[in-house]
Amino acid sequence: MAATQVPGATVASIMSHPVVTAAATETVAEAATRMRDRRVGSVVVVEGDKPVGILTERDMIRIAAAGADTSNDSLSEWMTANPDSVASDEAVSDAFASLAEHGYRHIPVVDDGVLVGLVSMRDLMKIAQIQPVERAAAEMPKGLEGVVVADTAVGDVRGQEGFYHYRQYSAVDLAEKRTIEDVWHLLFNGALPNVSERDDFIKAIRPLRTVPDEVKEILPGVAGLGGTDAPPLDMLRTTVSTMGVDLGFRPWLDISPEELYQQGLRICAVVPTLLCALYRLKHGMEPIDPHDKLPYAANYLYMMQGEEPEPDHARAVEQYLISTIDHGFNASTFTARVITSTGADLAAAVVGGIGALSGPLHGGAPSRALDMLDAIGTEDKAEPWLRDAVERGDRLMGFGHRVYKTDDPRSVMLRGVAERLGGPKVDLAKAIERKAIEVLADLKPGRQLYTNVEFYAGIVMDTCGVPREMFTPTFASSRVIGWTSHILEQAADNRLIRPSANYSGPPPPQPVPDAN
Ligand SMILES: CC(C)(COP(=O)(O)OP(=O)(O)OC[C@H]1O[C@@H](n2cnc3c(N)ncnc32)[C@H](O)[C@@H]1OP(=O)(O)O)[C@@H](O)C(=O)NCCC(=O)NCCS
């Protein structure tokens, strides 16, 4: 980012002040609360007017990861002592150089030993805004591929390595070792829960799964719209919007971070119930209320199928759900963050995410991969079928990925889950996968096309009795946790997302023809 060369601009003209401060004797928890309430990314630790340390959001993640006792540990134990600083009359470009060189996101501004302000990457981005846009626009690839548009501590994808993570943990390891409630806690609160935190979290979310009576009443009407093949995500979109109105959600700018967090819990908890109720109503069945005793995944299958699932089916679906909670800055996550950046309410941002996910290029393939297996039928027909399809220019469903140019780690994990479940479809899928990769390597050399998440997702869900029309909705039910984590993060450090476009129409201004 060579974006901060505004002639004559000094740090004083862009710094934030007054600064959010704390005493070294205060606890980490007190500082975290202050950061959250004041919606800032750091606190400067002071003795009188003098800065003696700094604690940032990044430190908070480090502290959470270390499992520290934040309500007892004092800031002096965790802060960066004697932080570098800049003077208020320094050029903005020098402050930028200092931030960029050291990887800092915040530097105290100090004149004669006295703290007078704080300059952050965010302040510098404000200056970057007034750059002429032509150059920036010309550099942007279509589809924003590879463009970094935000900082996030929620997670990331490393496509070349075939690795993705939620906060600091491998998402696949989490899916192998933890429950979805634990991972939800990790994403919302920044740390995996200990035993008592887990109990508290489960107690908090269980009652939130219930659909309010006023919304329950309108579900049959929504499920009756659009005939039997109305897309479930469209019905979900409608009812999440209704939930937001019913629960009195307001722009997050007008509510406290705690209230926004509670709204996030509510929407994530209720989405599986809404999906199952709409599915059952659509097929002439009575909706089933959430089960008091069942955890997330088992309850999801129970509300869909009407009976308590086999434990290995519940666990397999849970692993799928965990593996799809978040996946970098994909289209629906970006959409949710853009909507949040306007200050709009949480339901608006989730509805936007669902809208983006409903497009076939994003959320729409797991049932198509299974349709392909059905169309092939038996192993001996695989090679000619796949060859014909690729030669015709068709895409093999469940193969290829924009980011992964090696094995998609989710497909590797789900292949294992499918093998554990067993069954004839799994054997056929493995045989077709082998052939498909050979055919793609032969007919599309150098394109690095491997199995993606959707291929085995379909097999796992089918084996666990999830109907095909519920595949993408199942994906949505866990992805809403990821969107909401991003919504909370965006709100905690917001800047309106408002890019520019390169105008490519006829040269303006043309004379407006007279109306006649
Ligand atoms: C996921 C997907 C959209 C990513 O596409 P992308 O990164 O934009 O890749 P491109 O469209 O640039 O494709 C690059 C080349 O690989 C080919 N290709 C990509 N995926 C393919 C597939 N599944 N089957 C056959 N060929 C494929 C393209 O035809 C193209 O070939 P070309 O160079 O001869 O034109 C794409 O791989 C796809 O359509 N897969 C099938 C649908 C699917 O499984 N979706 C779920 C994704 S999780």
Side-chain angles (χ1 to χ4, degrees):
M1 180 174 65
T4 51
Q5 306 303 325
V6 177
T10 61
V11 166
S13 66
I14 61 158
M15 70 187 187
S16 309
H17 64 98
V19 185
V20 178
T21 58
T25 48
E26 286 187 77
T27 64
V28 170
E30 283 167 329
T33 306
R34 197 164 307 151
M35 276 160 71
R36 207 172 61 179
D37 290 349
R38 304 280 296 273
R39 299 201 167 111
V40 293
S42 64
V43 285
V44 179
V45 183
V46 288
E47 268 172 30
D49 291 342
K50 192 171 158 295
V52 293
I54 190 165
L55 192 90
T56 67
E57 280 165 338
R58 249 190 230 163
D59 295 319
M60 296 309 304
I61 293 170
R62 195 165 52 89
I63 293 166
D69 179 0
T70 54
S71 46
N72 276 321
D73 285 5
S74 67
L75 289 182
S76 56
E77 293 168 61
W78 288 100
M79 69 186 190
T80 302
N82 305 317
D84 284 346
S85 62
V86 288
S88 65
D89 60 357
E90 264 182 53
V92 162
S93 50
D94 293 343
F96 173 71
S98 198
L99 280 167
E101 184 189 340
H102 296 99
Y104 300 144
R105 297 200 57 215
H106 308 88
I107 300 193
V109 182
V110 178
D111 288 339
D112 300 325
V114 174
L115 177 72
V116 294
L118 183 94
V119 68
S120 65
M121 268 295 177
R122 191 159 91 172
D123 300 321
L124 290 163
M125 292 306 289
K126 288 182 199 155
I127 292 284
Q129 277 293 102
I130 57 175
Q131 284 273 304
V133 296
E134 292 84 351
R135 197 192 54 172
E139 286 167 2
M140 290 302 126
K142 207 170 176 182
L144 297 181
E145 198 171 343
V147 176
V148 173
V149 293
D151 284 341
T152 180
V154 174
D156 196 18
V157 181
R158 296 195 211 144
Q160 293 297 336
E161 290 169 45
F163 173 75
Y164 75 117
H165 56 106
Y166 302 158
R167 302 218 179 262
Q168 65 272 44
Y169 303 111
S170 149
V172 167
D173 288 354
L174 289 167
E176 299 287 6
K177 294 189 177 153
R178 293 295 190 138
T179 62
I180 187 163
E181 286 89 346
D182 278 7
V183 180
W184 181 357
H185 184 283
L186 167 72
L187 288 174
F188 266 44
N189 300 330
L192 286 165
N194 60 30
V195 176
S196 73
E197 287 166 339
R198 176 180 304 123
D199 286 351
D200 290 348
F201 191 68
I202 289 172
K203 269 196 209 108
I205 56 181
R206 287 255 161 111
L208 305 181
R209 310 198 284 204
T210 307
V211 179
D213 288 342
E214 314 78 64
V215 177
K216 250 187 198 168
E217 277 172 28
I218 66 159
L219 293 182
V222 175
L225 297 171
T228 47
D229 62 348
L233 282 195
D234 294 6
M235 296 190 286
L236 176 69
R237 195 180 67 199
T238 307
T239 48
V240 169
S241 185
T242 312
M243 283 285 301
V245 178
D246 183 51
L247 297 174
F249 286 10
R250 294 289 176 269
W252 66 262
L253 277 172
D254 298 337
I255 64 175
S256 68
E258 179 55 27
E259 198 178 338
L260 183 66
Y261 176 95
Q262 290 302 332
Q263 292 179 352
L265 285 183
R266 182 71 168 105
I267 289 295
C268 292
V270 85
V271 159
T273 318
L274 289 173
L275 280 169
C276 293
L278 290 165
Y279 162 73
R280 291 183 66 87
L281 285 164
K282 187 106 212 147
H283 293 279
M285 296 178 277
E286 273 301 303
I288 295 173
D289 285 335
H291 193 298
D292 279 354
K293 303 273 176 313
L294 291 180
Y296 184 114
N299 176 55
Y300 179 59
L301 290 176
Y302 164 76
M303 291 189 300
M304 190 189 308
Q305 299 166 346
E307 52 191 39
E308 289 190 34
E310 309 270 333
D312 57 342
H313 286 178
R315 180 60 187 150
V317 168
E318 178 168 55
Q319 288 182 277
Y320 169 69
L321 289 166
I322 294 172
S323 75
T324 49
I325 288 179
D326 187 53
H327 203 243
F329 243 67
N330 55 78
S332 57
T333 299
F334 186 45
T335 305
R337 287 190 76 131
V338 170
I339 296 173
T340 304
S341 84
T342 69
D345 74 73
L346 182 132
V350 171
V351 169
I354 298 169
L357 186 71
S358 68
L361 294 185
H362 188 4
S367 55
R368 298 178 200 207
L370 210 56
D371 294 344
M372 184 179 84
L373 293 198
D374 287 349
I376 295 173
T378 51
E379 192 180 337
D380 55 311
K381 300 206 184 96
E383 167 130 27
W385 194 100
L386 295 163
R387 231 167 234 289
D388 276 1
V390 178
E391 278 166 356
R392 254 197 330 265
D394 288 354
R395 297 200 167 204
L396 302 183
M397 290 297 140
F399 295 87
H401 197 271
R402 172 62 66 83
V403 178
Y404 291 121
K405 300 303 170 198
T406 178
D407 281 328
D408 179 337
R410 300 166 300 179
S411 83
V412 177
M413 195 266 295
L414 290 171
R415 188 195 295 128
V417 173
E419 280 170 344
R420 198 177 71 218
L421 292 169
K425 255 199 185 127
V426 178
D427 295 337
L428 177 65
K430 281 168 59 185
I432 290 178
E433 181 192 23
R434 275 194 302 274
K435 280 282 170 258
I437 288 171
E438 276 170 34
V439 167
L440 288 169
D442 188 24
L443 299 179
K444 294 278 175 188
R447 305 326 191 276
Q448 294 173 300
L449 300 170
Y450 300 96
T451 326
N452 66 43
V453 60
E454 314 261 305
F455 189 74
Y456 283 104
I459 302 288
V460 167
M461 283 192 276
D462 184 67
T463 309
C464 296
V466 177
R468 286 179 203 206
E469 68 186 270
M470 289 300 280
F471 286 3
T472 305
T474 303
F475 178 5
S477 73
S478 64
R479 185 52 66 90
V480 71
I481 298 174
W483 293 329
T484 308
S485 309
H486 279 275
I487 291 168
L488 297 177
E489 184 177 64
Q490 180 70 37
D493 185 15
N494 189 51
R495 175 152 182 81
L496 178 68
I497 299 175
R498 202 300 190 187
S500 302
N502 191 29
Y503 174 72
S504 61
Q510 308 270 347
V512 177
D514 291 335
N516 49 32

